[in-house]
Coordinates of all heavy atoms in Angstrom, one line a residue:
D286 N 0.9 -1.2 0.0 CA 0.0 0.0 -0.1 C 0.9 1.2 0.0 O 1.7 1.4 0.9 CB -1.0 0.0 1.2 CG -2.0 -1.0 1.2 OD1 -2.5 -1.4 0.1 OD2 -2.4 -1.6 2.2
G287 N 0.7 2.1 -1.0 CA 1.5 3.4 -1.1 C 2.7 3.1 -1.8 O 3.5 4.2 -2.1
V288 N 3.2 1.9 -2.2 CA 4.4 1.7 -2.8 C 4.2 0.9 -4.1 O 4.5 1.5 -5.2 CB 5.3 0.9 -1.9 CG1 6.7 0.5 -2.6 CG2 5.7 1.6 -0.6
I289 N 3.7 -0.2 -4.1 CA 3.4 -1.0 -5.3 C 2.3 -0.3 -6.1 O 2.3 -0.2 -7.3 CB 3.1 -2.4 -5.0 CG1 4.3 -3.2 -4.6 CG2 2.5 -3.2 -6.2 CD1 4.1 -4.6 -4.2
V290 N 1.3 0.2 -5.3 CA 0.2 1.0 -5.8 C 0.0 2.2 -5.0 O 0.2 2.2 -3.7 CB -1.1 0.2 -5.9 CG1 -1.1 -0.7 -7.0 CG2 -1.4 -0.5 -4.6
D291 N -0.4 3.3 -5.6 CA -0.6 4.5 -4.8 C -2.1 4.7 -4.5 O -2.8 5.3 -5.2 CB -0.2 5.7 -5.8 CG -0.2 7.1 -5.0 OD1 -0.5 7.0 -3.8 OD2 -0.1 8.1 -5.6
N292 N -2.4 3.9 -3.4 CA -3.8 3.7 -3.1 C -4.2 4.4 -1.7 O -5.2 4.0 -1.1 CB -4.1 2.2 -3.0 CG -3.2 1.5 -2.0 OD1 -2.3 2.1 -1.4 ND2 -3.4 0.2 -1.8
R293 N -3.4 5.3 -1.3 CA -3.8 6.1 0.0 C -5.2 6.6 0.1 O -5.9 6.3 1.0 CB -2.7 7.2 0.2 CG -3.0 7.9 1.5 CD -2.2 9.2 1.7 NE -2.9 10.2 0.9 CZ -2.6 11.5 0.9 NH1 -1.7 11.9 1.8 NH2 -3.3 12.4 0.1
D294 N -5.6 7.3 -1.0 CA -6.9 7.9 -1.0 C -8.0 6.9 -1.1 O -9.1 7.1 -0.5 CB -7.0 8.9 -2.2 CG -6.1 10.1 -2.0 OD1 -5.6 10.4 -1.0 OD2 -5.9 10.9 -3.0
A295 N -7.8 5.7 -1.8 CA -8.7 4.7 -1.8 C -8.9 4.1 -0.4 O -10.1 3.8 0.0 CB -8.3 3.6 -2.7
H296 N -7.9 3.9 0.3 CA -8.1 3.4 1.8 C -8.7 4.5 2.6 O -9.5 4.0 3.4 CB -6.6 3.1 2.2 CG -6.2 1.7 2.0 ND1 -6.9 0.5 2.4 CD2 -5.2 1.2 1.2 CE1 -6.3 -0.5 2.0 NE2 -5.2 -0.2 1.3
L297 N -8.4 5.7 2.5 CA -9.0 6.8 3.3 C -10.5 6.8 3.0 O -11.3 6.8 4.0 CB -8.4 8.1 3.0 CG -6.9 8.3 3.5 CD1 -6.4 9.7 3.0 CD2 -6.8 8.3 5.0
R298 N -10.9 6.7 1.8 CA -12.3 6.8 1.4 C -13.0 5.5 1.9 O -14.1 5.5 2.5 CB -12.4 6.8 -0.1 CG -13.9 6.8 -0.5 CD -14.7 8.0 0.0 NE -16.2 7.9 -0.3 CZ -17.2 8.3 0.4 NH1 -16.8 8.8 1.6 NH2 -18.3 8.2 0.0
A299 N -12.4 4.4 1.8 CA -13.0 3.1 2.3 C -13.1 3.2 3.9 O -14.1 2.8 4.3 CB -12.0 1.9 2.0
F300 N -12.3 3.8 4.5 CA -12.4 3.9 6.0 C -13.6 4.8 6.3 O -14.3 4.7 7.4 CB -11.2 4.5 6.7 CG -10.2 3.3 7.1 CD1 -8.9 3.3 6.5 CD2 -10.5 2.4 7.9 CE1 -8.0 2.2 6.8 CE2 -9.6 1.4 8.3 CZ -8.4 1.3 7.8
E301 N -13.7 5.9 5.5 CA -14.9 6.8 5.7 C -16.2 6.1 5.5 O -17.2 6.3 6.3 CB -14.8 8.0 4.8 CG -13.6 8.9 5.0 CD -13.4 10.0 3.8 OE1 -14.1 9.8 2.8 OE2 -12.6 11.0 4.2
V302 N -16.3 5.3 4.4 CA -17.6 4.5 4.2 C -17.8 3.5 5.3 O -18.9 3.5 5.8 CB -17.4 3.9 2.8 CG1 -18.7 2.9 2.7 CG2 -17.4 4.9 1.6
F303 N -16.7 2.9 5.7 CA -16.8 1.9 6.8 C -17.3 2.5 8.1 O -18.2 2.1 8.7 CB -15.5 1.2 7.0 CG -15.4 0.3 8.2 CD1 -15.7 -1.1 7.9 CD2 -14.9 0.7 9.4 CE1 -15.7 -1.9 9.1 CE2 -14.8 -0.2 10.5 CZ -15.3 -1.4 10.3
A304 N -16.6 3.6 8.4 CA -17.1 4.3 9.8 C -18.5 4.8 9.7 O -19.3 4.7 10.7 CB -16.1 5.6 9.9
D305 N -19.0 5.3 8.5 CA -20.3 5.7 8.4 C -21.3 4.7 8.6 O -22.3 4.7 9.3 CB -20.5 6.4 7.0 CG -22.0 7.0 6.8 OD1 -22.3 7.9 7.6 OD2 -22.7 6.4 5.9
R306 N -20.9 3.4 8.0 CA -21.9 2.3 8.0 C -21.9 1.8 9.5 O -22.9 1.1 9.9 CB -21.4 1.2 7.2 CG -21.6 1.5 5.7 CD -21.1 0.4 4.7 NE -21.3 0.8 3.3 CZ -20.8 0.1 2.3 NH1 -20.3 -1.1 2.5 NH2 -21.0 0.4 1.2
H307 N -20.9 2.1 10.4 CA -20.8 1.6 11.7 C -21.1 2.6 12.7 O -20.9 2.5 13.9 CB -19.5 0.9 11.9 CG -19.3 -0.4 11.4 ND1 -19.0 -0.6 10.0 CD2 -19.4 -1.7 11.7 CE1 -18.9 -1.8 9.7 NE2 -19.1 -2.5 10.7
G308 N -21.7 3.8 12.3 CA -22.1 4.8 13.1 C -21.1 5.5 13.9 O -21.3 6.1 15.0
I309 N -19.9 5.6 13.3 CA -18.8 6.3 14.0 C -18.8 7.7 13.5 O -18.5 8.1 12.4 CB -17.4 5.7 13.7 CG1 -17.5 4.2 14.1 CG2 -16.3 6.4 14.3 CD1 -16.2 3.4 13.7
R310 N -19.3 8.6 14.4 CA -19.5 10.0 14.0 C -18.2 10.9 14.3 O -17.4 10.5 15.1 CB -20.7 10.6 14.9 CG -22.0 9.8 14.7 CD -22.4 9.6 13.3 NE -23.5 8.7 13.2 CZ -23.8 8.0 12.0 NH1 -23.1 8.2 10.9 NH2 -24.9 7.2 11.9
G311 N -18.2 12.0 13.6 CA -17.0 12.9 13.6 C -15.7 12.3 13.4 O -14.7 12.8 13.8
F312 N -15.8 11.3 12.5 CA -14.6 10.6 12.0 C -13.8 11.4 11.0 O -14.4 11.7 9.9 CB -15.0 9.2 11.5 CG -13.8 8.4 11.0 CD1 -12.8 7.9 11.7 CD2 -13.8 8.1 9.6 CE1 -11.7 7.2 11.2 CE2 -12.7 7.5 9.0 CZ -11.6 7.0 9.8
D313 N -12.5 11.6 11.2 CA -11.7 12.1 10.1 C -10.7 11.0 9.7 O -9.7 10.7 10.6 CB -11.0 13.3 10.6 CG -10.1 14.1 9.6 OD1 -10.0 13.5 8.5 OD2 -9.5 15.0 9.9
A314 N -10.7 10.5 8.5 CA -9.9 9.5 8.0 C -8.4 9.8 8.1 O -7.5 8.9 8.3 CB -10.2 8.9 6.7
Q315 N -8.1 11.1 8.0 CA -6.7 11.6 8.0 C -6.1 11.2 9.3 O -4.8 11.1 9.3 CB -6.7 13.1 7.8 CG -7.1 13.5 6.4 CD -6.2 13.3 5.3 OE1 -5.0 13.2 5.5 NE2 -6.7 13.1 4.1
E316 N -6.8 11.0 10.4 CA -6.3 10.7 11.7 C -5.7 9.4 11.7 O -4.8 9.1 12.6 CB -7.4 10.8 12.7 CG -7.9 12.2 13.0 CD -9.1 12.3 13.9 OE1 -9.4 11.2 14.5 OE2 -9.7 13.3 14.2
L317 N -6.0 8.6 10.8 CA -5.5 7.1 10.7 C -4.2 7.1 10.0 O -3.4 6.1 10.0 CB -6.4 6.2 10.0 CG -7.8 5.9 10.8 CD1 -8.6 4.9 10.0 CD2 -7.5 5.4 12.1
L318 N -3.7 8.2 9.3 CA -2.5 8.2 8.5 C -1.3 7.7 9.2 O -0.5 7.0 8.7 CB -2.3 9.5 7.8 CG -3.1 9.8 6.6 CD1 -2.8 11.2 6.1 CD2 -2.6 8.8 5.4
P319 N -1.1 8.2 10.5 CA 0.1 7.7 11.2 C 0.1 6.2 11.5 O 1.2 5.7 11.7 CB 0.0 8.4 12.6 CG -0.9 9.6 12.3 CD -1.8 9.2 11.3
Y320 N -1.1 5.5 11.3 CA -1.1 4.1 11.5 C -1.0 3.3 10.3 O -1.0 2.0 10.2 CB -2.3 3.7 12.3 CG -2.5 4.4 13.6 CD1 -3.3 5.5 13.8 CD2 -1.7 4.1 14.6 CE1 -3.5 6.2 14.9 CE2 -1.7 4.8 15.9 CZ -2.6 5.8 16.0 OH -2.8 6.5 17.2
F321 N -0.9 4.0 9.1 CA -0.8 3.4 7.8 C 0.5 2.6 7.8 O 1.5 3.0 8.3 CB -0.9 4.3 6.6 CG -2.3 4.6 6.2 CD1 -3.4 4.6 7.1 CD2 -2.6 4.9 4.9 CE1 -4.6 4.9 6.6 CE2 -3.8 5.2 4.4 CZ -4.9 5.2 5.3
G322 N 0.4 1.3 7.3 CA 1.5 0.5 7.4 C 1.4 -0.6 8.5 O 2.1 -1.6 8.6
S323 N 0.5 -0.3 9.4 CA 0.2 -1.2 10.5 C -0.8 -2.2 10.1 O -1.5 -2.1 9.1 CB -0.3 -0.5 11.7 OG 0.5 0.6 12.1
T324 N -1.0 -3.2 10.9 CA -2.1 -4.3 10.6 C -3.4 -3.7 11.0 O -3.6 -2.7 11.6 CB -1.9 -5.6 11.4 OG1 -1.9 -5.1 12.9 CG2 -0.5 -6.2 11.1
N325 N -4.5 -4.4 10.4 CA -5.9 -3.9 10.7 C -6.2 -4.1 12.1 O -7.0 -3.4 12.6 CB -6.8 -4.8 9.8 CG -7.0 -4.1 8.4 OD1 -6.9 -3.0 8.2 ND2 -7.4 -5.0 7.4
A326 N -5.6 -4.9 12.8 CA -5.9 -5.2 14.2 C -5.6 -3.8 15.0 O -6.3 -3.4 15.8 CB -5.1 -6.3 14.8
L327 N -4.4 -3.3 14.7 CA -4.0 -2.1 15.4 C -5.0 -0.8 14.9 O -5.4 -0.1 15.7 CB -2.7 -1.8 15.1 CG -2.0 -0.4 15.7 CD1 -2.1 -0.5 17.3 CD2 -0.6 -0.3 15.3
I328 N -5.2 -0.8 13.7 CA -6.0 0.3 13.1 C -7.4 0.2 13.6 O -8.0 1.2 14.1 CB -6.0 0.3 11.6 CG1 -4.6 0.7 11.1 CG2 -7.0 1.3 11.0 CD1 -4.4 0.5 9.6
M329 N -8.0 -1.0 13.7 CA -9.4 -1.2 14.2 C -9.5 -0.7 15.7 O -10.4 -0.2 16.1 CB -9.9 -2.5 14.0 CG -10.2 -2.9 12.6 SD -11.5 -1.9 12.0 CE -11.5 -2.3 10.1
S330 N -8.4 -1.1 16.4 CA -8.5 -0.7 17.9 C -8.5 0.8 18.0 O -9.2 1.4 18.9 CB -7.2 -1.3 18.6 OG -6.0 -0.7 18.2
R331 N -7.7 1.5 17.1 CA -7.8 3.0 17.1 C -9.1 3.5 16.6 O -9.7 4.5 17.2 CB -6.6 3.5 16.3 CG -5.2 3.2 16.8 CD -4.9 3.7 18.1 NE -3.5 3.5 18.5 CZ -3.2 2.3 19.2 NH1 -4.1 1.5 19.5 NH2 -2.0 2.1 19.5

């Protein structure tokens, strides 16, 4: 992610859609950028 393919914006948009579907309000996907490169387990906990 971000190396073989430049997909940062696709992941950010996916997190926005995911958060909306799960009722997470006031969510800013940019806040997850420091965790990009980590596993989903860590990102989901955040």
Side-chain angles (χ1 to χ4, degrees):
D286 293 326
V288 176
I289 289 176
V290 285
D291 188 4
N292 58 358
R293 183 194 71 166
D294 291 344
H296 273 295
L297 290 174
R298 178 58 185 149
F300 274 118
E301 289 172 350
V302 173
F303 175 85
D305 182 65
R306 290 180 183 177
H307 286 79
I309 301 174
R310 305 305 173 202
F312 171 71
D313 181 358
Q315 297 284 332
E316 295 174 3
L317 293 179
L318 278 175
Y320 304 104
F321 273 34
S323 304
T324 58
N325 274 334
L327 179 59
I328 293 176
M329 286 299 170
S330 70
R331 297 297 181 271

